[in-house]
Amino acid sequence: MVASPPIDELHYDDAPDVDAVPGPNSRELLERQREIDSSAVAYPEDVPVAFEEGKGATVRDADGNTFIDMFAGIGVLNVGHANPYVMEAVHEQADKLVHTVDFPTEARLELIEKLDEIAPPGLRGQNRVVFGGPTGSDAVEAAIKLAKYNTGGDGLIAFRGAYHGATSGAMSLTGNKKFKGEYTPLLSDVVHAKYPTPATDSNGDAAALCPRDGGACCESFSCARALREVKEILEDPYGGLANPAGIFVEPIQGEGGVIVPPEGFLTGLRELADANDIPLIFDEIQSGFGRSGQWWASEWYDVTPDIMTTAKALGGVGFPLSATIYHEDLDTWGSGDHAGTYRGHVVAMRAGSRAIEYIQEHDLLAHARDLGEYIRGRLSQVAADNPRILDVRGKGLFVGCEFVDSDGNPDGDAADALQDYCFEHGVLVWKAGRHGNVLRLLPPLVLTEDLAETAMDVVVEGIETVTAEAQHA
C-alpha cells in the first residue's frame, strides 16, 4: 500500500490564522479544567488554549484559531496530527481487537519486525523487544531492571541535566532536583556525572584530561572532563559507586536544553562501559524515531547501545506505547520477569508500524535533516547580530536556541516572552533547559518548507521584538 497522502496535503490551509487568544471557548474550557482537574496540570499555564482538532503540522483550538505546531506534543506526533495513513490502520484495528496483554498478534509481531528493521546497526538482527507500560518512564524502568538483572549490580550512572521520566526509578536518574525533591528517598546509588556543554566549552587542555586512548580525544574540554568523571566514578577505588549496573544517557539531552554532545562523548562512554563490563543504555524517547534526522540520535555518532528505550512517537499518532530494545545476549529474563497490563495495545502497535512506513515512504529522515538545517540557519542569522542568543544547536528537527541576558546569565524571561509572542501570532513553541531559557522546537517531521518558513518568520520577529524590549527595559 502506498503511504499517502504526501506531506503537503496533510495540513490546514489557513495556518496560521489567529484572532485574540485565548478565545471565549478556550477560556471557558480552561476555567472548567481549573475547577475539576488536578492541580498538577501545567501546560495551560504557559499556553492558555483548548485544542479541538489537528491535521499534520497544524492544530486548531476551540475558537477556530489555527496554529502551526512546532512542538508536536513534546515530540510525540512525528508523522503529524491525524495522519490519514496511520488513522486508516487505527480504525481498522480498533474495530477488531484492542487489547491482548502479550499474546501474539500480527500487529505486535509486525511492529517488532519493523523496529528491528530500523534498529541501530549493532542491534539490527540481534535484538529483543519488551513492551511494558505505556509511557517512556515505563521503558526506562524496564531498562533499569534489565541492567540490574544481567549485572547483579545496583548502582547507576546518569547525567546532570537528564530527564528520564516521572516514576520512581526514572526520577532517580533524572537530574532535576526540584522535580523529585519531595519524593526522596528514591533509588540508592545513582550518581550524576556532568554532561558535556559545548556552548560553554573552555580552552583547557582536553587531550591531557581525556581518558580515551591513542590520541582519540575529540578536543572538546567539556567532553574530556565528563568522560574523566565517569571513568573516576567507575574505576577510582574511592569513586563511591560500589556495584555499578549501567550507564544511562540521552544521546541528545531534551529537557536539559537540546544539548548536542561533542563527537567523542558517546564513543567514550561506550569504551568505558566495555572496559568495566556494564551495559550502556541510551534513552531515545525524545531524540529517537526520526526526530534528529536519523532513526536514532546515536546513529550520528556510530555508537550502539546495549539497551535502548523508545516511546513518544512510537505510538504513531499519539497512542501511549513504549518499548525497550536490547541486545539478545541480555535476554536472560524468565517468563513473567517483566510485565505490564498494557503491553498488548495492538491499536498503538498498528499505528507505530504505519508511522515507520510513512517515514520511510516519504524519506522524512532526509527531510528532517534538510528542514532542520534551514531552521537552525534562520536562528543563526539572528544570533550573529544578537548577543542575547548564546547558542543555536540541534540535529534534524530537534532544535534549541539558548537565551542570556545582557550580563550573560540565563534568561528564562526572554524565552517566556518569545513563547507568548509566538502563541499570539499562531505558532506553538516550547522551552527547555535548566533555567527555562532555551527555545525548543520539536515540529512534526511532516512540517513542509512553506510552513517552516512561515513559522520561522514569526519566531525571528518574536526574537527581535523580545530582545529589543528587554534591551530598553
Side-chain angles (χ1 to χ4, degrees):
M1 179 182 290
V2 176
S4 60
I7 66 171
D8 57 0
E9 296 180 13
L10 294 178
H11 322 277
Y12 293 123
D13 293 333
D14 59 340
D17 181 20
V18 298
D19 200 351
V21 289
N25 293 329
S26 277
R27 289 197 299 272
E28 179 185 350
L29 290 168
L30 288 164
E31 181 57 33
R32 283 177 59 193
Q33 182 181 44
R34 280 190 289 270
E35 291 173 355
I36 63 175
D37 208 338
S38 168
S39 59
V41 167
Y43 286 91
E45 293 177 359
D46 291 302
V47 177
V49 65
F51 294 114
E52 184 78 18
E53 55 186 344
K55 288 180 65 176
T58 57
V59 65
R60 190 166 284 162
D61 74 5
D63 296 283
N65 297 301
T66 308
F67 303 85
I68 300 175
D69 186 358
M70 300 291 281
F71 181 55
I74 327 179
V76 167
L77 300 160
N78 285 14
V79 297
H81 295 268
N83 184 295
Y85 182 69
V86 180
M87 293 307 298
E88 178 185 45
V90 165
H91 292 305
E92 178 185 88
Q93 184 64 54
D95 287 340
K96 292 167 56 178
L97 185 68
V98 173
H99 176 69
T100 62
V101 195
D102 59 6
F103 290 102
T105 60
E106 285 292 338
R108 180 190 190 88
L109 300 180
E110 180 186 28
L111 180 57
I112 292 172
E113 290 168 350
K114 289 285 185 185
L115 287 172
D116 180 63
E117 187 179 315
I118 66 171
L123 287 177
R124 196 171 303 152
Q126 47 187 345
N127 69 79
R128 292 291 184 269
V129 175
V130 63
F131 301 105
T135 73
S137 298
D138 298 307
V140 171
E141 298 288 347
I144 293 171
K145 290 170 62 178
L146 187 65
K148 290 186 173 185
Y149 193 90
N150 276 275
T151 63
D154 54 23
L156 300 167
I157 297 174
F159 292 87
R160 296 195 282 279
Y163 180 83
H164 294 287
T167 51
S168 183
M171 255 201 304
S172 302
L173 298 170
T174 292
N176 187 331
K177 293 187 288 186
K178 181 179 179 182
F179 181 71
K180 62 186 184 179
E182 298 298 323
Y183 310 108
T184 56
L186 298 169
L187 293 186
S188 60
D189 270 351
V190 176
V191 179
H192 288 82
K194 185 172 179 61
Y195 197 90
T197 50
T200 55
D201 228 340
S202 77
N203 295 319
D205 188 346
L209 190 63
C210 185
R212 299 186 65 198
D213 296 329
C217 178
C218 67
E219 302 301 326
S220 164
F221 183 81
S222 68
C223 178
R225 179 177 54 188
L227 292 175
R228 171 63 62 181
E229 185 175 0
V230 174
K231 181 179 176 66
E232 289 172 351
I233 292 168
L234 289 169
E235 300 177 8
D236 183 341
Y238 278 72
L241 191 64
N243 299 298
I247 301 171
F248 275 79
V249 65
E250 296 163 274
I252 298 174
Q253 283 194 342
E255 299 294 329
V258 193
I259 307 295
V260 180
E263 192 66 32
F265 180 59
L266 297 184
T267 303
L269 291 180
R270 176 74 276 172
E271 293 167 355
L272 287 168
D274 291 342
N276 290 275
D277 198 25
I278 58 174
L280 179 62
I281 303 104
F282 286 168
D283 183 337
E284 292 268 15
I285 291 167
Q286 188 167 148
S287 60
F289 216 79
R291 168 59 50 197
S292 74
Q294 302 284 1
W295 279 112
W296 312 104
S298 58
E299 293 183 84
W300 283 104
Y301 304 95
D302 296 321
V303 180
T304 299
D306 302 294
I307 304 170
M308 183 173 73
T309 60
T310 180
K312 288 193 182 292
L314 178 64
V317 286
F319 286 105
L321 182 66
S322 73
T324 305
I325 305 168
Y326 55 96
H327 196 278
E328 60 187 4
D329 290 349
L330 298 176
D331 194 36
T332 55
W333 271 328
S335 173
D337 279 354
H338 184 66
T341 299
Y342 288 100
R343 64 189 187 274
H345 189 344
V346 288
V347 176
M349 291 169 178
R350 284 291 304 276
S353 292
R354 279 292 183 99
I356 291 171
E357 291 171 1
Y358 193 88
I359 292 170
Q360 291 171 325
E361 179 89 7
H362 295 276
D363 199 11
L364 293 187
L365 301 184
H367 179 69
R369 294 193 294 270
D370 292 342
L371 207 57
E373 186 174 348
Y374 164 75
I375 290 171
R376 291 191 301 278
R378 289 288 304 272
L379 292 169
S380 295
Q381 288 176 354
V382 180
D385 299 315
N386 193 327
R388 302 293 298 279
I389 297 178
L390 175 66
D391 192 33
V392 174
R393 52 185 178 254
K395 296 280 191 184
L397 288 174
F398 197 5
V399 178
C401 179
E402 184 170 359
F403 291 91
V404 293
D405 62 21
S406 56
D407 296 321
N409 299 313
D411 191 352
D413 290 340
D416 285 340
L418 177 59
Q419 184 179 56
D420 292 343
Y421 181 96
C422 290
F423 172 55
E424 292 163 2
H425 290 79
V427 176
L428 301 175
V429 302
W430 218 261
K431 303 164 295 184
R434 287 173 169 83
H435 308 282
N437 64 317
V438 178
L439 168 71
R440 177 175 39 159
L441 301 179
L442 300 168
L445 308 186
V446 297
L447 183 75
T448 63
E449 293 178 5
D450 286 346
L451 283 172
E453 182 176 356
T454 301
M456 290 312 298
D457 286 345
V458 171
V459 171
V460 168
E461 290 166 5
I463 292 172
E464 292 171 346
T465 300
V466 165
T467 56
E469 290 174 353
Q471 186 72 24
H472 294 99

